[in-house]
């Protein structure tokens, strides 16, 4: 008889109150384990933050979802490098599934502000650069792309959760339209396509591009 079968039979043999107690203990262990994992991830992010800030290479990897604490870490690193090494070039490698539009635009604006202040920032697409990550790619003075990397462009979306009045829903639609306009303007600025053409291509579908097509359409400057 296997250990798993033995444990199952032992559990079945328990009285209902004993099974309930055992399940409660198991849930307690699961909760404690989840807490430890969350704490470990927080410590890892703090270590990554310190490593990025104190790096002398000034090479930023955006290799996770663009949201919340991730965006804060990347912005903090850029600001640290700008203060410590004013004017020194920075390379940003991007391999990301995308994420929050507002968090992404905050990071995009940080990169563009630094460029206007004299910091050279180049971006590189590697692996899969999707959704909001494609917007960040456009922040580079030179936008590079690995030969077998892929871009994914699709219509950005913001969600409204909960019960809201008709007026609040209308306000949110206005806000969502503003975000869409920002994304289209950024994508069209250096590409060979107009905002209308991009909106037509991304409407209600995922639009994948290989390196050659991305270069042809002006979403990158060079393939390596």
């Amino acid at each position: 008889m296997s250990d798993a079968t033995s444990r199952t039979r032992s559990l079945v043999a328990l009285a209902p109150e004993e099974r309930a107690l055992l399940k409660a203990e198991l849930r307690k262990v699961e909760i404690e384990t989840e807490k430890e994992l969350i704490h470990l991830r927080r410590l890892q992010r703090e270590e990554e933050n310190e490593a990025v800030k104190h790096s002398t290479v000034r090479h930023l990897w955006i290799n996770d979802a663009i949201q919340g604490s991730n965006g804060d870490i990347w912005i903090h690193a850029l600001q640290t490098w700008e203060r410590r090494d004013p004017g020194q070039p920075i390379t940003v490698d991007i391999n990301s599934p995308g994420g929050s539009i507002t968090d992404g635009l905050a990071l995009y604006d940080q990169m563009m502000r630094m460029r206007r202040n004299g910091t050279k920032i180049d971006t590189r697409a590697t692996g899969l650069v999707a959704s909001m990550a494609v917007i960040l790619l456009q922040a580079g003075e030179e936008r590079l792309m690995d030969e077998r990397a892929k871009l994914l462009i699709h219509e950005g979306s913001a969600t409204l959760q909960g019960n809201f009045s008709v007026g609040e829903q209308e306000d949110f639609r206005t806000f969502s339209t503003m975000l869409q306009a920002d994304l289209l303007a950024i994508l069209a600025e250096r590409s060979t396509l107009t905002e209308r053409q991009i909106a037509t291509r991304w409407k209600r579908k995922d639009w994948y591009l290989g390196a050659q097509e991305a270069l042809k359409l002006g979403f990158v400057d060079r393939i390596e």
Side-chain angles (χ1 to χ4, degrees):
M1 182 184 300
S2 69
D3 290 342
T5 302
S6 178
R7 285 195 298 269
T8 301
R9 290 186 177 178
S10 297
L11 182 60
V12 170
L14 293 175
E17 61 272 15
E18 292 176 314
R19 287 202 299 271
L21 181 60
L22 180 57
K23 287 180 180 179
E25 289 295 326
L26 289 173
R27 181 53 185 158
K28 182 179 179 181
V29 171
E30 289 175 355
I31 292 173
E32 291 301 319
T33 301
E34 290 174 2
K35 289 181 179 178
E36 289 298 322
L37 288 173
I38 292 172
H39 180 64
L40 178 60
R41 284 195 291 268
R42 182 177 63 80
L43 292 177
Q44 288 173 335
R45 290 194 184 283
E46 289 177 356
E47 290 178 0
E48 291 170 1
N49 191 10
E50 289 302 309
V52 167
K53 285 193 301 180
H54 297 297
S55 172
T56 59
V57 179
R58 295 180 299 278
H59 190 158
L60 186 65
W61 276 93
I62 296 178
N63 56 357
D64 203 344
I66 301 163
Q67 58 188 17
S69 60
N70 287 339
D72 293 341
I73 288 173
W74 296 326
I75 289 175
H76 194 186
L78 291 170
Q79 292 174 338
T80 298
W81 290 337
E82 184 179 33
R83 289 192 302 269
R84 189 190 65 198
D85 309 312
Q88 294 301 307
I90 295 171
T91 300
V92 180
D93 280 5
I94 306 171
N95 179 10
S96 168
S100 162
I101 295 176
T102 51
D103 289 335
L105 288 175
L107 182 53
Y108 175 88
D109 283 341
Q110 174 66 37
M111 295 165 69
M112 295 302 296
R113 182 165 50 250
M114 291 172 64
R115 283 185 53 196
R116 290 192 296 271
N117 291 336
T119 299
K120 186 178 188 296
I121 299 179
D122 293 334
T123 54
R124 177 191 299 275
T126 180
L128 175 64
V129 177
S131 189
M132 194 63 217
V134 180
I135 300 298
L136 295 183
L137 178 66
Q138 305 310 304
E141 182 173 330
E142 184 175 27
R143 302 159 301 167
L144 308 175
M145 187 168 180
D146 287 350
E147 187 174 358
R148 276 166 286 280
K150 303 293 184 290
L151 303 187
L152 167 57
I153 299 175
H154 59 197
E155 186 175 12
S157 62
T159 58
L160 186 65
Q161 298 179 347
N163 297 319
F164 295 89
S165 67
V166 174
E168 289 171 328
Q169 293 177 36
E170 182 61 34
D171 290 341
F172 183 78
R173 282 193 289 271
T174 300
F175 175 64
S176 182
T177 299
M178 292 170 63
L179 294 180
Q180 293 281 355
D182 287 336
L183 302 184
L184 285 170
I186 292 170
L187 289 173
E189 182 177 3
R190 296 164 70 182
S191 78
T192 63
L193 301 174
T194 65
E195 292 183 23
R196 183 183 295 273
Q197 289 172 321
I198 294 171
T200 299
R201 294 194 184 203
W202 81 5
K203 193 69 175 177
R204 293 187 301 276
K205 71 172 186 178
D206 289 337
W207 175 22
Y208 288 93
L209 298 87
Q212 292 297 334
E213 185 178 6
L215 179 64
K216 179 181 178 181
L217 295 178
F219 293 117
V220 297
D221 302 304
R222 183 158 56 91
I223 298 171
E224 287 194 338

